[in-house]
Amino acid sequence: MPGNMWDDAEEPEDLDLRILRVAAAPLESQPGALRIRLETTRGTIDGILHPVEGGTAALVCVGGAMGGLDGPADRLYARLPALLEAARVTVLRLDYRQPNVFEECVLDVLAGCSFLRGIGAEELALVGHSFGGAVVIKAAELHPAVRGVVAMSPQLYGTADVETLGRPLLLIHGMADSVLSHEASEDIYRRASEPKRIALYAEAGHSLIQARDDIDRLLAEWLPPALAGAPLEGGREERGML
């Protein structure tokens, strides 16, 4: 795969995105959620916002190369608002403007971060799957408010500078992944600086559906302290029967 333009020595000067307008409407199928549309200078970004009152922490979730709002592990992103409700974490699920165009997708995540900051969020975390795992790593390198990153079944493309991340990183991968080998996460883990953690699931494939319940527990355990800037457990772990 050709090198990522942000892996070169100099970043391009023309990658600029500004939010022009924001539209929101209640989502009838999910009480309390809002359908969000961010109109930007590079096109429209659609998403679903699950706002929580009384907290300043927020999460941006993105999918793989095909985009989408639900995430891996049997619609993980739709479950995250309930999993993180007690910690008062607002969740923003974003769909890409141009799926599988790495630089544009990174800009979408950064736009999501700017939107959340604009509505009062102070601490941010990013979650991405597959292609999106690399997208959130790169976006976190560029946005100072990000406190933690979760990359699930990530690709290598776009992670050349992960050692500069400087934020807690959680990698999750299935060892039975036939789309992107778990060696990609192993490689990212080796290069990343502390604090870092990698969880490998022996029987899980690329979608991680076999590890659904364990991943729910892991993210509910890891994300709140990451957002709070608390110390986090690190290291490498392999999990067998799920």
Side-chain angles (χ1 to χ4, degrees), residues 130-153:
S130 191
F131 166 86
V135 168
V136 295
I137 288 173
K138 177 55 68 175
E141 293 169 11
L142 300 170
H143 201 292
V146 175
R147 296 283 187 87
V149 183
V150 179
M152 299 178 289
S153 310

Side-chain angles (χ1 to χ4, degrees), residues 217-232:
R217 288 190 292 270
L218 178 57
L219 295 190
E221 163 200 305
W222 191 87
L223 282 166
L227 284 159
L232 292 164

Side-chain angles (χ1 to χ4, degrees), residues 6 9 15 24 31 39 41 61 74 89 95 103 114 131 159 163 168 174 179-180 202 204-205 207 226 237 239-241:
W6 271 327
L15 288 178
E39 296 182 18
T41 51
C61 305
D74 191 23
V89 178
D95 203 4
E103 293 79 12
S114 294
F131 166 86
T159 68
E163 66 274 8
V179 177
L180 290 169
S207 73
E237 56 189 290
R239 305 191 179 197
M241 290 296 293

Side-chain angles (χ1 to χ4, degrees), residues 4-217:
N4 167 26
M5 61 195 294
W6 271 327
D7 291 342
D8 295 335
E10 295 183 3
E11 295 180 9
E13 297 180 357
D14 61 343
L15 288 178
D16 176 73
L17 180 148
R18 289 175 289 110
I19 298 174
L20 302 175
R21 286 175 294 275
V22 177
L27 191 60
E28 294 181 2
S29 61
Q30 299 179 49
L34 298 170
R35 177 74 67 178
I36 296 293
R37 173 159 288 187
L38 307 180
E39 296 182 18
T40 81
T41 51
R42 300 177 78 91
T44 299
I45 307 170
D46 291 316
I48 296 175
L49 179 70
H50 301 264
V52 176
E53 294 184 4
T56 60
L59 183 65
V60 179
C61 305
V62 290
M66 300 297 290
L69 295 166
D70 292 333
D74 191 23
R75 304 186 71 242
L76 169 64
Y77 297 165
R79 297 193 303 277
L80 279 176
L83 291 170
L84 300 172
E85 184 178 11
R88 296 181 177 177
V89 178
T90 289
V91 176
L92 175 61
R93 300 151 58 192
L94 280 186
D95 203 4
Y96 303 126
R97 290 173 295 113
Q98 298 182 46
N100 207 29
V101 181
F102 187 83
E103 293 79 12
E104 296 294 338
C105 294
V106 172
L107 289 176
D108 291 346
V109 173
L110 294 175
C113 291
S114 294
F115 164 72
L116 289 169
R117 293 279 286 170
I119 63 172
E122 297 177 6
E123 309 89 23
L124 305 176
L126 310 179
V127 178
H129 176 244
S130 191
F131 166 86
V135 168
V136 295
I137 288 173
K138 177 55 68 175
E141 293 169 11
L142 300 170
H143 201 292
V146 175
R147 296 283 187 87
V149 183
V150 179
M152 299 178 289
S153 310
Q155 66 177 32
L156 279 175
Y157 178 70
T159 68
D161 297 324
V162 68
E163 66 274 8
T164 69
L165 179 60
R167 263 61 69 84
L169 173 64
L170 172 62
L171 294 155
I172 300 172
H173 217 125
M175 299 179 77
D177 190 336
S178 60
V179 177
L180 290 169
S181 170
H182 68 92
E183 290 294 337
S185 282
E186 298 265 28
D187 182 88
I188 295 168
Y189 178 76
R190 283 191 293 268
R191 292 183 288 113
S193 57
E194 297 286 354
K196 58 184 177 180
R197 181 177 177 182
I198 183 169
L200 301 171
Y201 292 90
E203 300 170 19
H206 189 64
S207 73
L208 297 165
I209 192 169
Q210 299 88 347
R212 168 190 159 140
D213 293 341
D214 201 83
I215 290 172
D216 282 4
R217 288 190 292 270

